Amino acid sequence: MIKTLSIFLGITLLAPLVPCAQAKTPSQPNILLILADDFGWGDTSCNNPDTHLKTPAIDRIANEGIRFTNAHTPSAVCTPTRYGLLTGRYPWRTFLKKEVLRYYAPALITKGRTTIPSYLKSQGYRTGGFGKWHLGLDWTPVEGDPVNWRANWNVYDPDDRAQLKKNVARLAKGIDHTKPFKNSPIDIGFDTYFGTASNCGRLPFFILDNKVFGKLRSPDGQMRDPKPVRDTVDDIYVARAIGFIEEHEKNHQDKPFFVYLPLNAIHGAVLAPERFVGQSNMTKREDKILWANESVGKMLAALDRMKLTDDTLVIFTADNGPLNSPDARKKGHEATGPYRGFKTNVWDGGTRVPFLARWPKHIPPGATTDHLIGLTDVLATIAGVCGSPLSDGAGPDSVNQLPALLQEKDKMVTRRSLVTYSYAGFFTLRQGKWKAIFGTKWSGGHPGDSYGGSAPKGMAADDPDIGQLYDISVDPFEQKDLWEKRPEVVTSLLSELERIKQLDKSDEIRWQQGDVPNRLLKKPQ
C-alpha cells in the first residue's frame, strides 16, 4: 500500500526526504490537499478554543498532526492565492495586479509553468482536482470572435448590477461552450479535473478536464446548468474526490496519487445545506463552517475505510481570511481570532489562515508552531518530500518547509521575508520582527462593511509615500504604527521588496512579446 500525503487546503505537504521514482516505491506518499474558501484563522476550534462553534473533523488533523499558527496566504483574496499555492510564485508577478479574476477571465496559469500537479506527475503521480477552479481559462470564441473576448473579459460594474448581467451575457454569447478551452487544469498537470470555472454563482456550470460539462441553458443570456446547486456543490466535489481515490486504489496501486480539493464553502456563493441551517446558532456563514467541517470528515473517514490513514499526509488551509461577522462575534465567535482585519485587507486577518497537517509516524501528534510559512511554500515542500529538485526557474517564491512539518528543528529554514498583498494591490512585507504595509494607512481592501468598511474620515489618501509599520514581536495585532518613527526600517524593508520583485520577470517578457490578456491593464513598471 502506498504512502499517502493528504492536504486540506488549507494546504500542507509532508513526506520523507527520499527520491521519487516513476513507479511506486514504499516511500512515496499519496497527497491530499484541501483548500477551504474564506475560512478564517479563528474559524477552526483548534485555533480558537473559546468559540462555541466546534470543528471536530478539522481539529482531528491538528490533534493527530501539527498546527501552524503563523501561516499566510500570498493574497487576501481568492484567485491570486490559488495561483501562488499551485505555482510557488507570488501572484502579482502575473497580469493580475489586484482584485480577482471575474467571469470569463483568461488563464492565469499557462502551459509550461511548473505547478504542484505537473511536478508530481513528473514524479509518477496520478493527479486529480475537484472543486472551485477560479484561475481563468482560455475560452474558444465563436467563429469571428464578435465580442473580442480576450480584450474585454474584465466586465465589472459594482454600481449597476443590471448592466453587469448584460455584459456577462454578451460575453457568454461570444464563447463557444461546446469547444475545449486551452490552458485548462489538464494542460497544467492534472490528469482529471471536475468543478466550476469560477465559484458556483459566477459561472453556474461545471467543467470536466478541458470542456464544459453537462447541458446548458441560457434564459437570460448567461449560460447555466441547473445541477450546480449552491447547497450541494461541495458534496459533489467530495464524492468525486473519494471516487477518484477508490478507483485509484483498485486500478493504479503501482502509482501514488495527488488530490486537490478546493471547496467552495464557506464563500458567500454557496448556501448551507438544509441539514446545517441554524445549527451553528450564529449566522448562515457559521452554518457553512459546519458544512466544510463535514466535508473534511468525509475525506478522513474515506482514508480510514481504505486503510490509507497511516500512509497519508493531510493538510488543511484556506485561500484568505474571513468576512466580517459581527453577529457571530456577539455570540463569542471571532473568525480572525485576535488578529486585525478581514478578507481583502493588508492586516493579518486577511492573510493569516489555518494550516494543519497530519502524517502519522512522521509528524509528531499535537504539535504546534509559530514558524512562519506561506502557501507559496507548498510546491518546494513537495519537492522536498520527493527528494527531486524543482527545475530551474520553478517556484521562485517557494521555500521547502518539510523540516518544519516534521519538526526537525535543527533543519528548519527561517524565511528571509514574506510578501502578501491586498484586494486593491497594496503590498506588505514581513521580515524578522517587522511588518511593513506600503501605500496606505487603511486596510487596502474592499470598502464594504463585510470587509471592514471605508477609511475613517480625514485619514490620508492612498499614496506611495505613506504606509504602516509594526513591530509584530510586541504588537502582533497591528495597533501601534511606527512608519513615521522608524524611517530607516521602512527604507530597508522597501529595498527587500524591490529585491524580491527582481527575482522573476518571466511574465514581463511574455507581456513584451504581446501576450497581453487585457488591453485595459497597465504595463508593469
Side-chain angles (χ1 to χ4, degrees), residues 4 63 80 88 108 118 133 172 200 213 228 274 319 380 463 502 505 517:
T4 303
N63 294 335
L108 201 58
S118 71
W133 182 241
C200 68
F213 178 82
E274 182 63 30
D319 62 352
D463 183 296
Q502 303 305 312
K505 290 194 170 184

Side-chain angles (χ1 to χ4, degrees), residues 281-296:
N281 293 316
M282 294 182 186
T283 76
K284 294 178 180 179
R285 178 188 177 275
E286 286 71 39
D287 291 344
K288 288 182 285 187
I289 292 175
L290 301 178
W291 189 18
N293 179 74
E294 180 190 71
S295 296
V296 176

